Amino acid sequence: TARRDKASLFELKGPLKATPDRAELPDFDLIVHAKGHPQIFKGKLALEFGERIEASAELTAGFVDLDALFVGPGAEDRPSPATVLYMFADEVLTQASEFGEGTLAVAIEQAGLGGDLVGAVDLALATKDGALTVDHLKAVLPGGNRIEASGRLARGGFGPVFAGPIKIEG
């Protein structure tokens, strides 16, 4: 499949504070164009430039359509939640490999996943020396069920592999 031109998929607006060894976007708006549905985030980002880039980011959103974000162009069928989560994990691992150390905190009020709504998504990730840690993932699943997980995300022989405790109740 042809790779998408990623330069045209994002709009980032906000004040930039920069020195030769640090850049900061203390308050930005990010719009990700996904299958004709803009996904709107607010955030903060700090980058330290050393031997490798160190990053700290926070993103918040009212509603995000995860299906639209992680489905390739031309896909007609709605993906399964497992497919979307697999694609998300693969992308996170790819991006994490570019940083020496980094943290990402994401808070989403509601998200579309597999045609259902997931609420109160709270995710914190950290990367150090190529290892990706899920500090916590919490969400309210359809039917009022709740999920909590923490652990490690790594590349396995067939793709992303998560190892750690998962608690589902409801």
Side-chain angles (χ1 to χ4, degrees):
T1 62
R3 278 194 77 81
R4 297 182 281 177
D5 176 13
K6 290 188 176 189
S8 65
L9 296 177
F10 302 96
E11 290 180 49
L12 181 66
K13 297 177 185 177
L16 173 64
K17 298 176 184 179
T19 64
D21 52 1
R22 179 175 170 80
E24 185 178 354
L25 290 159
D27 181 28
F28 66 83
D29 294 320
L30 171 65
I31 300 172
V32 181
H33 296 281
K35 295 186 76 171
H37 302 283
Q39 310 298 307
I40 302 169
F41 298 87
K42 290 204 165 288
K44 298 176 186 180
L45 174 66
L47 299 169
E48 300 282 341
F49 306 111
E51 222 173 278
R52 293 193 67 184
I53 295 174
E54 294 181 20
S56 175
E58 296 176 23
L59 292 174
T60 61
F63 177 81
V64 175
D65 185 346
L66 296 173
D67 297 339
L69 273 177
F70 292 102
V71 173
E76 296 298 321
D77 296 330
R78 182 176 301 277
S80 71
T83 299
V84 173
L85 292 174
Y86 177 91
M87 294 171 86
F88 173 75
D90 189 56
E91 182 67 20
V92 167
L93 285 168
T94 298
Q95 296 300 321
S97 68
E98 297 181 16
F99 293 97
E101 290 186 29
T103 61
L104 173 63
V106 179
I108 302 171
E109 290 178 33
Q110 285 191 320
L113 177 63
D116 281 318
L117 286 179
V118 175
V121 177
D122 180 10
L123 172 65
L125 302 173
T127 181
K128 185 173 182 174
D129 300 326
L132 184 67
T133 302
V134 178
D135 288 335
H136 67 267
L137 166 62
K138 298 176 183 177
V140 178
L141 303 175
N145 300 304
R146 297 185 182 280
I147 187 169
E148 291 183 25
S150 61
R152 188 173 160 92
L153 189 61
R155 291 218 184 266
F158 296 100
V161 175
F162 176 80
I166 298 174
K167 176 182 173 184
I168 299 175
E169 59 183 21

